[in-house]
Amino acid sequence: MVLTNIINNKRYLYRLMGISSFIAALLISFSDFILEFNREYGVSTSSIIETSWVNMPHWRFSTSIYLCAFLIPFYILGFWLLYKLLSKTNKTMALILFILFSYGVIMGSPLIHGLMSMNAIIYKFGIANGFNHELMKLLIEGEITKTILPVFLVHYIITWFIAPSILFINIIGGKTQLKRWTAFLNPLVFLIIGMIGLKIMPCLFVYLTPGAINKGNAALFLLVTIKMWNYSGE
């Protein structure tokens, strides 16, 4: 009965969609953090293999996989809410963004995140059983990563470069109902800030950069949720 009332009342349905996508993004940001974080560097940008995986407990890898796999579908709700908001001023642009974000997330996020977590498990297991670093590097970087690289590149280019760039340009250009400063609540912007921050202030950004993209998604979903809070139209 409660669920039926929510579905029939679009205002509460949109609120539920926004809140669930926001919470999902926060938890997936945490899943990135427990997979990537190391006090010495935060996130390495020069190597796929992190030798610190050997000292990480297994629960970090498995929990990271579960959080992404079970929660990434809720991103579609957030992107749909973004579509509803942007379509008030430009339906074509809104639809393009919804398709790009949704397709990119579905085709890439669980696969890429799962692979990155499995790489850590494979490396940790291999070293523990007597395989040397060079052999594990040859397997993970030379074989597994090379095989998945086309998917990885397409996923990142579509989802976290093209779509966020279009969104940023339209908001900063005043072509939406959103204030221009909200253009910076954007996964690509958060990623850029995180990577630059690691270079200029590593003592702080070593903790902030892991999961930067999904922190940006959380900020974007929260923005859309707030803007659509009282909206009940079609």
Side-chain angles (χ1 to χ4, degrees):
M1 189 67 170
V2 174
L3 181 59
T4 302
N5 290 336
I6 290 175
I7 293 174
N8 290 335
N9 190 325
K10 287 188 170 59
R11 178 181 300 171
Y12 293 108
L13 178 61
Y14 292 151
R15 289 179 183 179
L16 180 62
M17 292 169 68
I19 292 171
S20 60
S21 61
F22 169 65
I23 293 174
L26 288 180
L27 290 174
I28 294 177
S29 178
F30 174 70
S31 79
D32 288 335
F33 185 87
I34 61 176
L35 175 63
E36 302 172 354
F37 176 72
N38 182 290
R39 286 188 180 86
E40 295 181 4
Y41 52 75
V43 175
S44 174
T45 57
S46 60
S47 175
I48 293 170
I49 288 181
E50 309 293 0
T51 55
S52 62
W53 285 339
V54 172
N55 300 314
M56 290 183 183
H58 190 279
W59 69 264
R60 288 178 60 165
F61 311 138
S62 57
T63 302
S64 187
I65 291 174
Y66 300 152
L67 286 173
C68 181
F70 287 114
L71 294 176
I72 202 69
F74 289 96
Y75 275 34
I76 306 303
L77 303 181
F79 293 139
W80 176 253
L81 209 56
L82 177 66
Y83 163 76
K84 298 298 291 185
L85 175 62
L86 297 179
S87 64
K88 295 179 182 181
T89 52
N90 190 328
K91 287 188 176 181
T92 301
M93 182 266 292
L95 182 59
I96 289 173
L97 281 176
F98 177 72
I99 292 172
L100 290 176
F101 272 125
S102 300
Y103 176 77
V105 163
I106 292 170
M107 63 80 61
S109 288
L111 174 63
I112 299 301
H113 191 94
L115 177 69
M116 292 171 65
S117 301
M118 291 303 298
N119 281 343
I121 294 171
I122 291 168
Y123 183 80
K124 180 180 175 71
F125 181 86
I127 297 300
N129 285 274
F131 294 96
N132 61 48
H133 171 79
E134 291 305 318
L135 179 60
M136 298 309 298
K137 181 177 181 180
L138 183 63
L139 171 62
I140 293 173
E141 297 187 359
E143 295 296 328
I144 298 175
T145 301
K146 183 171 66 176
T147 301
I148 203 69
L149 188 59
V151 178
F152 181 89
L153 291 176
V154 170
H155 164 65
Y156 265 80
I157 291 172
I158 289 177
T159 322
W160 308 131
F161 180 74
I162 295 178
S165 296
I166 293 173
L167 180 61
F168 182 89
I169 291 170
N170 277 273
I171 295 177
I172 207 75
K175 297 179 181 179
T176 72
Q177 293 184 346
L178 296 168
K179 295 184 183 300
R180 284 184 168 87
W181 68 266
T182 63
F184 293 93
L185 302 179
N186 181 302
L188 178 59
V189 173
F190 272 55
L191 176 62
I192 293 172
I193 292 174
M195 302 313 295
I196 294 175
L198 266 183
K199 302 296 183 182
I200 62 177
M201 196 181 296
C203 60
L204 174 62
F205 281 86
V206 71
Y207 297 97
L208 299 179
T209 300
I213 285 177
N214 288 303
K215 289 185 178 74
N217 285 323
L220 176 61
F221 293 152
L222 179 60
L223 167 67
V224 173
T225 301
I226 292 172
K227 290 294 292 184
M228 297 289 284
W229 191 255
N230 291 315
Y231 182 71
S232 58
E234 295 298 330

